[in-house]
Amino acid sequence: MSVADKIRESLSRSSWIRKMFEEGDRLRQLHGPDHVYDFTLGNPDLEPPDCVTKRLQSLVHNPVPGMHRYMSNAGYRETRHAIAAHVGRQAGLSLTENHVVMTVGAGGGLNVILKTILNPGDEVIASSPYFVEYGFYTDNHQGKLVVVKTRPDFQLDPTAIAGAITPRTRAVLINSPNNPTGVVYPASTLRALAEILKQKEAEFGSTIYLISDEPYAALVYDGVRVPPILGIFEHGILVTSHSKDLALPGERIGYIAINPAIAEAGVLFDGLVFANRILGFVNAPALMQRLITDLQGESVGVQVYQERRDLLYSHLSKLGFDVVKPQGAFYMFPKSPIPDDVTFIRAAAKHNLLLVPGSGFGSPGYFRIAYCVPKQVILNSFPAFERVAREFGLR
């Protein structure tokens, strides 16, 4: 046996995103890159803003003594202080550096959180469609992912979440703006959910954390605002990264911020720091921590993504696709013209149109488009979308 049974089983149902991206490489070799329309991977094509380049150049040319050495497993104090001030301003709370842990991206942060809070068999509730790795992350720490459906517009359904809460529920995990739908959960929905969690905590005599995964929080359109969850949920934990807002996905720099009102917040902080170490992350990348310290609140220009969203949304709607207009991030999640989304995306691939089936996000019957690609790729893809629409009787 070359690998563990669990890994072998996981490989059989692992990421459709990567599978379709690899198919794109094959098609590009056959047809050339200009004739393949790859919407599979959420890999920002924008370069980081100028402030990132200038700060990086400054660090390279004026190195801080010892800047590549180990630091506290929580991260540099000055970096955590800057983030605490930024998050605190947004939430209307007073955070200190002892409410922030620097992590290896948001994915690393989620694993740190789940390692810290889960006992074997504890449950984490997520709403579909959801980022596919949530199930694997939860399983990493002997937890169980419990999935409930969102409403037809992909908004959270607090009643459905309430019905899924049991004495074993340890956390509710949300992602806003959402991958893969691009929807943003409004404050009214989050306040309703917060009240439900309070009632369930009282009923079961337990703590239920609200974990908000927010790497796209700065990428929102049309004046939409992502509500600050630490100001809404007493047991709120924010996890995010600078992969999308500063276009630094390969640098793996993120953080966890906790609500100071959490009972035993100090113990939770210590647990997060300990988990950061024993999971092998040890600490977030030193250079990136110094880079982002003074860049809190900076972001790439969202107008570029908004223009791409508008182009795609308008064209697909005219072709007859049923699609909810994204409010943020750089994803769109149209309904498949046929119930079998896998068959549909395979048919689309015959037109060199690379999409990801909704089954990969816990929502069969849909497909995801990642529009973090050059505008010209989107424009060039329109005839392919038209051919697919005709093939499936949409026009």
Side-chain angles (χ1 to χ4, degrees):
M1 181 179 69
S2 57
V3 298
D5 291 342
K6 178 179 282 189
I7 295 298
R8 187 180 299 276
E9 189 275 332
S10 295
L11 287 173
S12 70
R13 57 187 176 89
S14 64
S15 180
W16 266 101
I17 300 170
R18 288 289 174 179
K19 289 179 183 177
M20 295 308 298
F21 182 73
E22 290 165 4
E23 173 67 4
D25 280 343
R26 187 185 71 82
L27 291 174
R28 278 186 285 272
Q29 291 177 12
L30 285 174
H31 305 290
D34 292 341
H35 302 287
V36 177
Y37 320 111
D38 190 345
F39 296 100
T40 58
L41 198 59
N43 193 16
D45 70 308
L46 300 186
E47 291 301 313
D50 289 343
C51 59
V52 170
T53 303
K54 291 177 182 177
R55 177 61 178 151
L56 185 58
Q57 289 173 335
S58 176
L59 287 168
V60 170
H61 293 295
N62 304 282
V64 178
M67 68 188 239
H68 300 296
R69 298 173 187 165
Y70 286 130
M71 79 297 295
S72 162
N73 298 125
Y76 288 122
R77 184 177 295 274
E78 59 268 31
T79 304
R80 292 185 286 124
H81 177 79
I83 290 170
H86 174 69
V87 173
R89 282 193 298 270
Q90 292 181 316
L93 297 173
S94 179
L95 275 72
T96 73
E97 62 269 21
N98 292 326
H99 300 118
V100 175
V101 177
M102 304 306 299
T103 64
V104 181
L110 284 167
N111 275 276
V112 166
I113 294 167
L114 296 172
K115 177 69 173 176
T116 303
I117 68 171
L118 293 182
N119 289 313
D122 280 351
E123 298 169 351
V124 177
I125 297 174
S127 297
S128 64
Y130 61 91
F131 180 51
V132 65
E133 308 290 27
Y134 289 167
F136 296 114
Y137 292 168
T138 304
D139 181 70
N140 284 347
H141 309 292
Q142 302 182 68
K144 176 185 176 184
L145 191 71
V146 177
V147 180
V148 301
K149 291 185 177 181
T150 52
R151 293 171 173 157
D153 59 358
F154 302 128
Q155 288 292 335
L156 292 177
D157 186 342
T159 302
I161 294 173
I165 295 174
T166 74
R168 297 308 302 267
T169 301
R170 191 63 167 153
V172 174
L173 174 56
I174 65 172
N175 171 219
S176 175
N178 177 260
N179 175 9
T181 67
V183 303
V184 174
Y185 306 140
S188 57
T189 298
L190 297 179
R191 284 193 291 267
L193 179 56
E195 187 59 34
I196 286 169
L197 296 188
K198 284 183 182 179
Q199 293 170 2
K200 292 295 183 178
E201 287 176 326
E203 179 182 349
F204 296 126
S206 62
T207 295
I208 303 174
Y209 292 103
L210 187 288
I211 304 170
S212 188
D213 179 23
E214 297 186 8
Y216 304 97
L219 306 183
V220 289
Y221 316 124
D222 307 320
V224 171
R225 180 171 176 263
V226 177
I229 66 103
L230 296 190
I232 296 174
F233 295 90
E234 179 182 354
H235 296 133
I237 303 177
L238 167 66
V239 60
T240 189
S241 79
H242 289 297
S243 292
K244 291 5 186 239
D245 58 5
L246 294 179
L248 296 171
E251 303 300 344
R252 310 309 302 141
I253 182 66
Y255 62 83
I256 300 165
I258 64 174
N259 191 329
I262 291 175
E264 296 189 305
V267 175
L268 176 60
F269 175 81
D270 290 343
L272 295 169
V273 175
F274 177 71
N276 209 24
R277 184 174 83 243
I278 66 169
L279 287 175
F281 298 121
V282 182
N283 55 253
L287 182 61
M288 288 300 107
Q289 289 190 55
R290 294 193 183 278
L291 174 72
I292 58 95
T293 298
D294 297 325
L295 301 182
Q296 295 305 299
E298 298 285 351
S299 179
V300 296
V302 298
Q303 66 274 8
V304 175
Y305 289 132
Q306 181 167 336
E307 180 185 14
R308 297 172 183 178
R309 177 206 64 171
D310 291 344
L311 280 171
L312 264 174
Y313 177 77
S314 176
H315 189 68
L316 294 182
S317 297
K318 289 177 182 176
L319 292 178
F321 285 96
D322 183 357
V323 54
V324 172
K325 191 174 187 178
Q327 299 168 294
F330 39 59
Y331 305 109
M332 198 170 289
F333 203 58
K335 193 171 185 178
S336 170
I338 57 174
D340 188 342
D341 53 311
V342 173
T343 295
F344 170 73
I345 63 103
R346 286 175 174 160
K350 294 177 182 178
H351 300 274
N352 295 344
L353 193 57
L354 299 174
L355 312 166
V356 182
S359 299
F361 303 92
S363 291
Y366 292 85
F367 63 95
R368 192 190 77 168
I369 300 171
Y371 53 87
C372 49
V373 297
K375 177 182 175 181
Q376 195 59 48
V377 173
I378 295 173
L379 294 173
N380 291 347
S381 75
F382 283 179
F385 274 114
E386 290 167 9
R387 290 193 295 271
V388 170
R390 283 195 298 269
E391 180 177 339
F392 288 90
L394 295 182
R395 62 169 301 178

